Amino acid sequence: MNEWLIAMPEEQLTHLARVAIAFVVCLGAVIGSFLNVCICRIPLGQSVSRPRSHCFGCGKTIPWYLNIPILSWVILRGRCANCGSPISVRYPIVEALTALLFLLVFLSWGNPGLLGLNRLPQPELIPVFWLFAASTVVNVMIDLDHRILLDRISLLGTPLALAVSAAFPLLHGATTWHHGLLASLVGAAAGFGIGFAIAWLGEKIFLQDAFGFGDVKWLMLFGALFGWVGVLYILMLAAFLGLIMGLGAMIAAKCRRAAPDDAPIAIPFGPALGAAALLWLLWGRWIPYGLLRAQAFAVVHRGVVLGILIPVLALSLVWLCWRIRRIRQAVREEEAAETELEPIDDDPAPHP
Ligand SMILES: [Zn+2]
């Protein structure tokens, strides 16, 4: 295969690369379209294959020629062709995002230097990380809608990641299958252990489960795929991203003045965790690389790195605490509302 590629004239090779990229983007968009179906139906316990895609407004089945990812939405200007009811902009966004992620994973094997991506050591890993990226998109979107992370992704993904690590030990920088498997096992244990510790501490300190058990299981999958170092960096990155998302949501709420000041803005941690895992997969090497380089340089550099890193970590921790308190408050308010409703529920039926 490699010899065949090397023997090819450069012009043809460029052409082949363009065809491959176009194919990958189309594949990503089509998979993204399927992910939209999964995001809508899995939390409701519906089948993802039947019935076929239909309009939520009029219930009409959408014909295949109006179900082309991204393009159909743009051509129809976000409205159903039959009844004109609006179609959420989320659908083309998920499709475009999946296409972009598929392309980036492909490029990290084909031409990582182009965008400073991590180098994917083997082409066989491309479908593995496509699957990972797709499952992450589904988990993040479902978490945003329903505040749940799917067990089937974490619990099916972890054994799969262990098997992949044994089959492709290069993923963990190992050369033999048992070293690859060991690195993956250690990573999974670290992910589960650290996640469990955070969940336990959150419960002890704030008397409320802040860091959900879904997060813990998802961290286990990250560990199996990226090793224990990956888990640590993903957690740090997620806390930092969560801080930015939290502040962004607060500012947005303040600007709109839609929500009163004391309305809880509880942001699920899932989106931050998913984004961090994808960033680690695509550009992760820059974090330890940057830190190591700074360590090797003069004290000035070290000072700059520590000067940035320590406030970032401190802010992230403060944000985590803030978020936990917010959720605790929201739960308390919910409970209070429920107890208020209870007498109505328990209203005895009038005796004849
Ligand atoms: Zn319709």
Side-chain angles (χ1 to χ4, degrees):
M1 168 86 176
N2 278 345
E3 285 151 25
W4 170 72
L5 272 175
I6 290 161
M8 238 174 148
E10 194 155 328
E11 202 179 309
Q12 277 188 33
L13 207 59
T14 317
H15 191 67
L16 187 70
R18 282 194 192 129
V19 172
I21 284 174
F23 174 75
V24 166
V25 170
C26 290
L27 179 72
V30 169
I31 300 283
S33 183
F34 174 67
L35 297 186
N36 274 323
V37 177
C38 295
I39 293 162
C40 284
R41 295 189 188 175
I42 289 178
L44 304 177
Q46 296 170 346
S47 158
V48 292
S49 55
R50 250 157 229 285
R52 287 190 46 206
S53 299
H54 53 84
C55 168
F56 288 120
C58 59
K60 191 173 183 270
T61 303
I62 299 167
W64 65 267
Y65 53 86
L66 290 179
N67 206 359
I68 301 160
I70 308 168
L71 284 182
S72 288
W73 191 90
V74 174
I75 291 167
L76 295 171
R77 295 205 194 90
R79 295 198 169 272
C80 168
N82 189 44
C83 68
S85 56
I87 304 167
S88 171
V89 71
R90 244 180 64 166
Y91 297 105
I93 288 177
V94 166
E95 286 156 1
L97 177 69
T98 313
L100 178 70
L101 288 171
F102 269 47
L103 179 63
L104 288 172
V105 168
F106 179 69
L107 283 179
S108 69
W109 167 72
N111 191 0
L114 189 65
L115 295 167
L117 293 156
N118 288 348
R119 184 178 294 278
L120 206 62
Q122 282 158 303
E124 293 90 335
L125 288 171
I126 294 172
V128 172
F129 285 123
W130 280 348
L131 193 63
F132 176 73
S135 70
T136 305
V137 169
V138 170
N139 236 359
V140 165
M141 297 309 285
I142 290 181
D143 195 33
L144 278 174
D145 287 348
H146 305 274
R147 303 279 156 92
I148 45 167
L149 292 169
L150 293 180
D151 263 357
R152 64 188 87 179
I153 288 177
S154 311
L155 299 184
L156 288 176
T158 305
L160 203 62
L162 289 170
V164 165
S165 303
F168 307 105
L170 261 182
L171 182 62
H172 297 274
T175 45
T176 56
W177 72 266
H178 48 272
H179 282 122
L181 184 61
L182 187 69
S184 182
L185 275 171
V186 169
F192 191 83
I194 295 168
F196 197 81
I198 294 175
W200 185 79
L201 275 176
E203 211 189 319
K204 283 283 157 212
I205 297 170
F206 298 101
L207 305 170
Q208 199 58 251
D209 48 340
F211 193 83
F213 207 58
D215 297 301
V216 177
K217 282 178 270 187
W218 211 16
L219 271 177
M220 176 172 72
L221 167 60
F222 295 163
L225 211 50
F226 302 116
W228 66 272
V229 178
V231 167
L232 287 180
Y233 280 113
I234 288 172
L235 255 178
M236 276 202 289
L237 204 58
F240 178 58
L241 289 175
L243 171 79
I244 294 172
M245 286 181 194
L247 291 178
M250 262 174 79
I251 292 166
K254 281 257 156 55
C255 287
R256 269 186 283 132
R257 291 178 194 281
D261 281 348
D262 54 341
I265 313 162
I267 300 107
F269 196 52
L273 212 51
L278 290 174
L279 285 176
W280 176 256
L281 162 68
L282 294 168
W283 287 286
R285 76 190 162 99
W286 291 104
I287 307 170
Y289 179 76
L291 292 179
L292 281 175
R293 261 181 82 95
Q295 282 292 319
F297 274 108
V299 186
V300 183
H301 279 86
R302 213 176 298 172
V304 168
V305 166
L306 289 180
I308 294 170
L309 199 69
I310 288 174
V312 160
L313 276 179
L315 274 174
S316 306
L317 279 176
V318 168
W319 175 79
L320 265 184
C321 294
W322 166 77
R323 175 186 173 265
I324 288 162
R325 295 191 73 132
R326 279 298 200 181
I327 291 180
R328 188 183 165 197
Q329 208 176 319
V331 169
R332 235 193 281 127
E333 275 162 24
E334 238 167 64
E335 276 170 3
E338 263 168 37
T339 40
E340 264 171 40
L341 283 173
E342 239 161 60
I344 303 165
D345 287 341
D346 292 347
D347 213 1
H351 289 286

